[in-house]
Amino acid sequence: MNATPRVALSQDFLLKLSKLPTAVQGRVHKWVLRFQQDPTAKGINYETIKGAQDVNLRSVRIDQDWRGIVFKPERGDLYILLHVDHHDDAYRWAANRRLSVNPATGALQILMVQEINETRTTPTAEVAKSPPKMEQASSIPAEQARPPLFKQIEDEELVQLGVPVELLPAVRHLCTEADLDALQAALPVEAYEGLFLLLAGDTVGQILSQREIRVDRKVDVQDFAAALDTPESQSRFVVVTSDADMSAILNAPLAQWRVFLHPTQRRLAEGDRSGPVRILGGAGTGKTVVAMHRARWLARNRASTGHKVLFTTFTRNLALDIEQNLKSLFLQDPAESLVEVTNLDRWVHGYLRRRNYDHRIIYQLDREAWGRAMELVDPAIGLDEQFYAEEWEQVVAAHAIQSRDDYRKVARIGRRTVLTREKRDRAWPVFEEYRDQLRRRRLKYVDDAYSDAAALLGSDGDRPRYCGIVIDETQDFGVAALKLLRAMIDPAPNDLFFVGDGHQRIYPKHRAALGKCGIDIRGRARKLYLNYRTTDEIRKAAVALLEEREVDDLDGGSDENRRYKSLSHGPAPERLTARNNEEAVAIAVAKIKAWLPDAASDTPPTICVMARTSSVRDQVSIKLKAEGVKVSAIEADTTDSGAHDSVRVSTMHRAKGLEFDRVIVLAPGLKKAGADSELPHLVYVSMTRAKTAAVLVV
């Protein structure tokens, strides 16, 4: 009995399909669905491609004008749709492609043979596009020649990192990082990442260990079906097993994140973990994508009606966006009902309400209660009211300090005023009185309410039960929130999954270390390095804003930038100057008007203007509407549709987690921002929302 044919689609096939005229897409969709049902049907005529470098490539007729390119090895019942194009263009594409299995990783890799042949004969990848004569290259003075980047790395080690055997000569010729970037398009993404991390100072062993990859197994380089099962292959190919899945993929070909994950991302999202996990990564590295795929894996494999997956984050609008994206990810999979999505504050309000909590939660100082507390200030220690207010918010409440003894021991990170033990003892009665005054008024500061919720959970025999909790934007959560998350689920495999980025910490008072909140991530801390959203030029400009600032790793250590890298390039962001908010708004409006002709294109860019305050945001909106520009504001309780028919306006805080083709960031006063200001972090977040172009107004 013959095995059921296995059908797969390549990422390149879907990308090409998405660019075809709508009418052509419809015809291709119908053909692909028939193909998926039975690739051996008599109506499918596989034709040999004359001059093809890969004997396993075949042409198939879609209609009179259009052809598909299929990979059909002689061994096994495997069919991979690689490309679709006009008749002659399809044949030309196929003539220069070859699929092979990496002998170390077992991954299926698609290679462009022409590029391989060129890079074998050139001293660097940078000159591969117009190869010089070798005698010209050899005439370069020896003192100007640079040594090869990977001279000390063995061929076997390069292959283990994902470098195709065919591209080893090209990699051996690389002498600068610019050479590596020029070769990027020809390299599998895992190979490019591995080579870049080598340049950043990592060893081959460290890279492979972080990837959790075995390279000591024997790989059958002719077993293409087995190769498809590797995470590396799944970053480029997707196996489709049903008509419903095929239809869903074809109808949303641009949602690449739904189908294809970087191999590191997939390894992090899938499989069991022995305890809490922390994923660190700069803006655009796909942290939220990993978190959503993790939630789906848990829902499909570990959840039940009585033990759901909780997906939580800090802000309401980001939670709404995640909920919407999860619907797209699940594609009507019944497992979707096993994922609960909400921001943590909403969860706390709901839980405490069910427990008949008789306090109203407040987020700012209650002036009456605070006034009574200030009557206890000891003038002898020389601390003013502003100091006490900041000390309450950033230290006492933020670190869930409940006693004088705890206050004596707490590390007051970021506070410039040094307090001796004596001064702490004499300041403490103010905070103690403030809490007492709030209690009398049936009020609770938000951090204290979180602590109360954690205490109730510890004594609640009927508490919500989860098989796992996934937390996005971890850097936005303070001590009380992290302790609450620990209390919400018993320590167990797959219990807590944190993703975050210290560069995006826009709430300084929330700085907290996971380990000091009862969350042990030792051995389960990983990082994502490749930025898929922002050009490297925009990324570098954004990172430069934080050069003098320490960035933490969410667990008491520090993070650094030299291992982060963007895969795309583009123009450097514009930096313009404004004397005040009014000038900044005028600059934004003028720039939008200059961009408007692009909005009439077939694929108009998405645009967002971001300001520090809602009042400046609204000024932009009013001015744009007066110019006849359609505008939509991003609010706390709204999602961003991703539509191209209006210019978005947003505060910097609300833009978190979103992305646009072009952004304008209004930050007058940035040059005067002090060491304690959160503005540079806000601007970093805002600029890294951009995919292709950014304008910064300071």
Side-chain angles (χ1 to χ4, degrees), residues 32-164:
V32 172
L33 286 170
R34 291 198 301 271
F35 183 87
Q36 190 271 327
Q37 292 169 359
D38 185 7
T40 66
K42 292 181 179 180
I44 300 174
N45 184 26
Y46 294 94
E47 297 179 2
T48 301
I49 301 172
K50 188 178 293 185
Q53 299 291 323
D54 191 332
V55 297
N56 293 318
L57 294 188
R58 296 289 187 271
S59 165
V60 291
R61 179 187 174 108
I62 296 174
D63 63 18
Q64 185 174 349
D65 298 318
W66 296 88
R67 296 291 185 272
I69 303 299
V70 179
F71 178 76
K72 183 184 179 299
E74 292 183 4
R75 177 176 157 188
D77 290 315
L78 176 64
Y79 302 82
I80 305 177
L81 287 168
L82 298 176
H83 191 67
V84 58
D85 215 328
H86 280 285
H87 182 282
D88 292 345
D89 293 330
Y91 276 85
R92 277 192 289 270
W93 184 94
N96 292 316
R97 292 323 192 271
R98 180 193 302 159
L99 269 70
S100 63
V101 177
N102 184 295
T105 67
L108 185 60
Q109 300 175 327
I110 184 167
L111 307 170
M112 191 169 179
V113 179
Q114 184 179 358
E115 290 186 9
I116 293 171
N117 292 335
E118 289 178 348
T119 53
R120 280 173 171 169
T121 60
T122 56
T124 68
E126 190 173 7
V127 298
K129 296 180 182 178
S130 55
K133 296 180 179 179
M134 294 307 293
E135 59 266 22
Q136 292 176 332
S138 63
S139 66
I140 299 174
E143 63 271 15
Q144 296 182 18
R146 299 192 182 190
L149 291 173
F150 307 108
K151 182 180 179 181
Q152 305 302 319
I153 310 299
E154 299 291 334
D155 281 357
E156 182 182 3
E157 293 177 309
L158 292 174
V159 176
Q160 290 172 356
L161 293 176
V163 176

Side-chain angles (χ1 to χ4, degrees), residues 306-317:
H307 289 79
K308 291 186 175 183
V309 179
L310 176 66
F311 194 119
T312 191
T313 188
F314 189 72
T315 62
R316 285 178 289 175
N317 64 316

Side-chain angles (χ1 to χ4, degrees), residues 103-105 156 159-161 208 213-219:
T105 67
E156 182 182 3
V159 176
Q160 290 172 356
L161 293 176
L208 295 178
I213 189 172
R214 282 182 59 215
V215 296
D216 58 347
R217 69 191 192 282
K218 187 175 181 179
V219 173

Side-chain angles (χ1 to χ4, degrees), residues 445-461:
Y445 193 70
V446 58
D447 294 284
D448 285 352
Y450 277 29
S451 297
D452 288 349
L456 287 170
L457 283 166
S459 61
D460 193 350

